[in-house]
Amino acid sequence: MNTTPSSPSAAPAPLSLRPFRPADDAPALRRWITTRAELVTWAGPAFTWPLDDAQLTAYAAEPDRHTWTAVSPDGRPLGHISVRGTRLGRVLIAPEARGQGLGETLLTLAVARAFDELGLPSLDLGVYTHNTAAVRLYEKLGFRTEQVLKDVEEVDGVLWSALQMRLTAPDR
């Protein structure tokens, strides 16, 4: 009989990244983005409303685009993120999973992939100034504002401004 106390098993990571598969993952993205304003918040002016499978398939096939779906330990899609060149974007957590710290986990995983696997020297992103929770999270992770772009998008008659932010890879 083993009398050595057993060590507590580590809890499974709350998220992992796998490649975005439009055929499997597009329905979740469409379910999470229910208005034109949500679409613009997620992707800027790159897509047209309503979001559809053809747009998502073309997006996933863009040259130099790395797209990932964040999945729970049981394989449920809970988020999305992408990198194209040195541009991080299309960050989204499923509405039902928000407020649990998964955005930080998603970003941490993607930043690690960008710097460690893709070897990028830095990451840039754009975020609308009214998306204060996202701005706070990016700042917490070390992103710094490089530029403020005033009134770059009009949504439902309201002008939106954006921040351009950058995170430099740690010295190796």
Side-chain angles (χ1 to χ4, degrees), residues 9-97:
S9 61
L15 288 180
S16 60
L17 297 182
R18 67 157 168 75
F20 173 68
R21 300 185 300 246
D24 298 328
D25 301 328
L29 277 176
R30 288 193 329 273
R31 197 171 51 253
W32 301 340
I33 300 168
T34 61
T35 66
R36 179 175 175 273
E38 289 176 351
L39 180 62
V40 174
T41 299
W42 176 63
F47 294 97
T48 58
W49 181 255
L51 186 60
D52 59 34
D53 290 346
Q55 292 180 84
L56 290 169
T57 299
Y59 150 71
E62 291 173 0
D64 198 29
R65 166 99 46 206
H66 302 272
T67 56
W68 298 288
T69 296
V71 295
S72 65
D74 66 3
R76 236 173 350 111
L78 292 178
H80 180 86
I81 197 163
S82 75
V83 173
R84 183 173 189 194
T86 61
R87 188 85 172 165
L88 179 77
R90 316 284 160 71
V91 180
L92 187 62
I93 293 292
E96 68 274 12

Side-chain angles (χ1 to χ4, degrees), residues 62-138:
E62 291 173 0
D64 198 29
R65 166 99 46 206
H66 302 272
T67 56
W68 298 288
T69 296
V71 295
S72 65
D74 66 3
R76 236 173 350 111
L78 292 178
H80 180 86
I81 197 163
S82 75
V83 173
R84 183 173 189 194
T86 61
R87 188 85 172 165
L88 179 77
R90 316 284 160 71
V91 180
L92 187 62
I93 293 292
E96 68 274 12
R98 294 177 188 159
Q100 301 173 34
L102 297 180
E104 183 172 353
T105 302
L106 172 63
L107 283 160
T108 300
L109 291 169
V111 166
R113 288 216 179 168
F115 291 154
D116 300 340
E117 293 176 24
L118 303 177
L120 299 179
S122 63
L123 281 171
D124 298 307
L125 62 81
V127 59
Y128 292 108
T129 57
H130 68 272
N131 192 351
T132 54
V135 172
R136 280 194 309 270
L137 179 55
Y138 296 138

